Amino acid sequence: MTSPCSARLQLNENLQLMQAGSLMRKVKSRSWKKQRYFKLQEDCMTIWYNSKKTGNTKSTFSISDIETVREGHQSEVLQSIADEFKPELCFTIVFHGRRANLDLVANTPEEAQCWIQGLEKLIETVTNMDQKDLLDQWICDWFQKADKNKDGRMNFKEVQDLLKMMNVDMSEHHAYRLFQMADKSESGTLEGEEFVLFYKALTQRDEVLKIFQDFSKDGKKLTLLEFVDFLQQGQLEEENTEELAMDLIARYEPSDTAKKLHAMSIDGFVMYLCSPEGSIFNVAHEQLYQDMTQPLCHYFISSSHNTYLMEDQIRGQSSVEGYIRALKRGCRCVEVDTWDGPNGEPIVYHGRTFTSKILFKDVISAINKYAFRVCDYPVILSLENHCGVEQQDAMAQHLKSILGTKLIMSTLDGRIPTCLPSPDELRGKILLKGKKIGRLVDSLEEQPDDSVGEVTDEEENVEVEEERNEDKKRAKKSKERLSHLLSDCVIYCKSVPFVSFQHSRAHYTLYEMSSVTEYKARKLVREPGNDFVRHNAWQLMRVYPTGLRTDSSNYNPQEMWNVGCQMVALNFQTAGVEMDLNDGLFRQNARCGYVLKPSFMRHVETTFNPDQPQSTEGYSPVNLSILVISAQQLPKVENSKEGSIVDPFVRVEIFGVPIDQTKQETKYIENNGFNPMWYETLHFKIHVPELALVRFVVEDYDKTSRNDFVGQYTLPFKSIKSGYRHIHLLSRDGTKMPPASVFVHVRVTDASQPEQDT
């Protein structure tokens, strides 16, 4: 069976050589370099590798798992063996999500180029696949998995094994009936188009067909007017519906005959509903749609804690890869924890632990290279400085020489700012957050003669102290020596210790900011009134995990966003609900890492209090009604028993101000991960929709132990599209899992109006 990927490619010399296979070195460290045999499969979608040319044990990965290919010594591992292997022999395969890179050394430069160019061509082809190609590819993938003896056809035993792999619990009689229906040649096996017929019969969407027939007069097609009716009544679209209908037919209707009639067939209808336009996430919010000209303090800013760590806080690996991954995920505030290193070179690591060490200059080089790959809005370097003055000078030199004009070394107009600059004004710029000697006005005037100054030790540099001691007043503030060269690199984000909101108003300026632990922030959240919200309307605030989280776990960022904290720093290397929320909030606005705070959080006289939202001017609660209809092709649970099939249920979780925090779930469906049906409606009242995030979770019910995670998807409430929508599930790691999805109908109404049932 031919895959659409291989069908779309002309097998050039590179791909032919890749299909023949190559023996290359897989490298994990200077001491771990082993020969592995790599081979591109005939489907041009899968690469397998093995320790020998023949043998049963092999690893595979899909082209769709690959994010990019780096040429030469562009990883720490390959840089460590640069004296042994020339750059033209080396390349790195970078995967989506948190999966480790694959570092390879070819035998000749020609072989390396063959794989680099071939992989780049395959990645481009997969990236450009349309909805139909993707569907065909999934069919082909299943065929390859099921065709155990690789004879290009499937007998009934292989079909039965396939159904178990696909999470389908079907009686042998029904499965055989479908098999016979598809076996047009009556050969007792399925091949090519026969398997396509079988797959389409298996995946027929009865619930979608019912909706289609409700709007179609003849039950076979939707005329233009009927499709417009569906968009208005089913999808609750209000603007330019006829123009939208024409555009969707042109893009998703596979039949040329139907296209000419401006009509949509059931195949086109399913394709539209499974497309980005049929997704629950508003495609208009995938673009840059927010005002980017407000002061920095008016935005939530995607922020990372201990960015250099790949694992835990005690023995984990430090790597520039942590910065590359965070920046490519849209992170705009990264942390650099510096200590005195050998040979006069500052190093980055989690001080006083067994975590590995990396050079400060290598970190800055990686930031320089990757800071603006995703977008050109500013990056903030949160500097945790533990170096002596001499190496602080070295840090300043590296910052200036590597970042050049990207580094902000003065206010934009050379004057003392009356408000913070906007992300738009700071495009392509890197800001340093750190301590500063004296006032900003001093560094804007003549340079002082003294090369060293003293600054007050601030709370953020005592991360690992016991929390119970955190709020005890220090009788004596210790003084630290700070290099003027480094101090002069700090302009808009001068670090100052947080004492109280009243103290900040009386003694600090808008270009100064504080960092507090989650523990301290939670205490401030609990204080009566709304001083925290008002503070964050004029000054930046960074919150970071307590030093007691040695496992790199995370805290709930939502309660910090509720009071307007801009930089809510999380351990990006740790998957879980907290990072799902972070990914969900920053999924919008072109994933640029800046999200404009609601208008009621952007002025210092605001009355908004997350504990009493009803008292806010413009309070407008809504009802959210979600009819959970079905799910499609849910993946197998990790480490599940062979042959076991999931018992799925859907939970909808609302994160927001305290009164909005809630969750509801459907019943579970026994033994059906392929096409379970619920038709259950979940109702929510949301008091502050502007701050709410909605998380859809699918789990495998287990009555004797903890339920297993299947998939999730999180998005801002304000980015939800009403109507019949697919929720395309993500893995625990936040990567896509096509074609796994949940099908729902969403209705949002004014909470003062009586709600209508779907």
Side-chain angles (χ1 to χ4, degrees), residues 709-722:
F709 174 89
V710 176
Q712 69 84 29
Y713 187 83
T714 308
L715 77 165
F717 171 81
K718 296 295 267 183
S719 295
I720 286 178
K721 284 287 282 183
S722 295

Side-chain angles (χ1 to χ4, degrees), residues 36-197:
R36 292 287 183 266
Y37 184 70
F38 290 82
K39 187 175 189 292
L40 175 67
Q41 300 297 84
E42 285 183 14
D43 63 359
C44 288
M45 274 295 291
T46 314
I47 289 170
W48 71 257
Y49 59 98
N50 202 337
S51 54
K52 295 174 183 172
K53 267 198 180 188
T54 56
N56 296 323
T57 56
K58 60 175 183 275
S59 300
T60 65
F61 57 88
S62 169
I63 298 298
S64 58
D65 295 335
I66 304 174
E67 184 186 309
T68 190
V69 181
R70 296 188 204 145
E71 198 170 339
H73 298 146
Q74 288 202 63
S75 76
E76 287 157 308
V77 169
L78 292 177
Q79 284 167 6
S80 73
I81 58 165
D83 57 339
E84 198 175 342
F85 298 102
K86 293 178 180 177
E88 52 266 32
L89 298 176
C90 303
F91 62 100
T92 302
I93 296 175
V94 180
F95 295 98
H96 292 289
R98 295 177 175 84
R99 182 171 174 175
N101 295 345
L102 181 57
D103 291 302
L104 298 173
V105 180
N107 296 297
T108 64
E110 293 74 24
E111 185 178 55
Q113 280 303 311
C114 160
W115 278 87
I116 292 164
Q117 292 173 16
L119 286 169
E120 286 173 345
K121 179 67 177 171
L122 292 170
I123 294 165
E124 181 190 3
T125 303
V126 169
T127 305
N128 293 330
M129 277 187 179
D130 61 21
Q131 202 74 18
K132 185 176 184 308
D133 288 330
L134 286 170
L135 177 62
D136 291 345
Q137 187 62 53
W138 297 331
I139 295 172
C140 185
D141 287 347
W142 282 120
F143 187 87
Q144 304 285 353
K145 286 177 189 172
D147 184 17
K148 291 285 171 61
N149 59 7
K150 304 298 175 196
D151 63 354
R153 57 187 66 190
M154 272 178 29
N155 58 38
F156 184 59
K157 172 69 173 70
E158 288 175 322
V159 164
Q160 286 179 297
D161 291 342
L162 171 67
L163 293 176
K164 285 180 182 171
M165 276 194 275
M166 294 174 91
N167 254 328
V168 180
D169 183 28
M170 184 181 286
S171 71
E172 186 173 336
H173 173 73
H174 183 46
Y176 191 62
R177 192 167 59 80
L178 282 180
F179 181 86
Q180 284 186 307
M181 176 277 299
D183 183 16
K184 299 294 185 188
S185 63
E186 298 183 358
S187 62
T189 58
L190 303 181
E191 50 187 305
E193 287 305 311
E194 291 177 334
F195 180 73
V196 172
L197 197 63

Side-chain angles (χ1 to χ4, degrees), residues 276-329:
E277 281 74 16
S279 159
I280 194 166
F281 188 82
N282 186 344
V283 286
H285 287 192
E286 288 180 354
Q287 314 304 316
L288 194 73
Y289 74 99
Q290 294 183 336
D291 176 9
M292 302 303 288
T293 63
Q294 305 261 339
L296 277 182
C297 56
H298 288 181
Y299 296 85
F300 296 121
I301 303 171
S302 180
S303 303
S304 159
H305 174 64
N306 287 357
T307 315
Y308 47 88
L309 287 180
M310 303 293 283
E311 300 159 30
D312 66 66
Q313 314 271 317
I314 303 296
R315 297 179 180 275
Q317 178 195 3
S318 302
S319 171
V320 297
E321 232 21 86
Y323 292 92
I324 295 169
R325 290 185 180 189
L327 291 167
K328 284 166 85 169
R329 284 181 82 151

Side-chain angles (χ1 to χ4, degrees), residues 506-568:
H507 297 96
Y508 292 156
T509 62
L510 55 88
Y511 51 83
E512 295 172 318
M513 64 172 291
S514 303
S515 288
V516 297
T517 66
E518 57 172 293
Y519 173 79
K520 180 66 177 284
R522 240 179 251 117
K523 283 183 70 175
L524 295 172
V525 166
R526 289 196 290 268
E527 286 185 5
N530 73 337
D531 283 347
F532 210 166
V533 180
R534 290 185 170 194
H535 173 87
N536 289 327
W538 72 277
Q539 195 178 55
L540 289 167
M541 171 74 81
R542 178 177 174 269
V543 182
Y544 59 89
T546 166
L548 301 179
R549 290 185 182 272
T550 54
D551 58 351
S552 293
S553 59
N554 282 309
Y555 57 95
N556 180 356
Q558 185 69 50
E559 57 186 328
M560 311 308 171
W561 293 327
N562 287 343
V563 291
C565 294
Q566 300 87 352
M567 301 179 195
V568 181

Side-chain angles (χ1 to χ4, degrees), residues 410-472:
S410 175
T411 55
L412 295 179
D413 59 3
R415 300 175 186 171
I416 297 298
T418 54
C419 71
L420 283 170
S422 70
D424 203 55
E425 290 173 305
L426 292 168
R427 280 174 181 266
K429 296 296 183 184
I430 294 175
L431 290 76
L432 189 66
K433 170 196 164 294
K435 295 172 190 171
K436 187 171 183 67
I437 301 165
R439 303 169 304 157
L440 179 60
V441 66
D442 300 329
S443 61
L444 293 179
E445 292 170 356
E446 289 298 312
Q447 295 295 318
D449 295 331
D450 193 4
S451 63
V452 179
E454 287 189 340
V455 291
T456 303
D457 181 18
E458 66 171 320
E459 180 183 62
E460 68 175 327
N461 277 338
V462 197
E463 282 197 15
V464 194
E465 70 173 329
E466 290 292 335
E467 301 294 0
R468 62 178 173 271
N469 296 328
E470 188 182 59
D471 56 349
K472 286 184 180 177

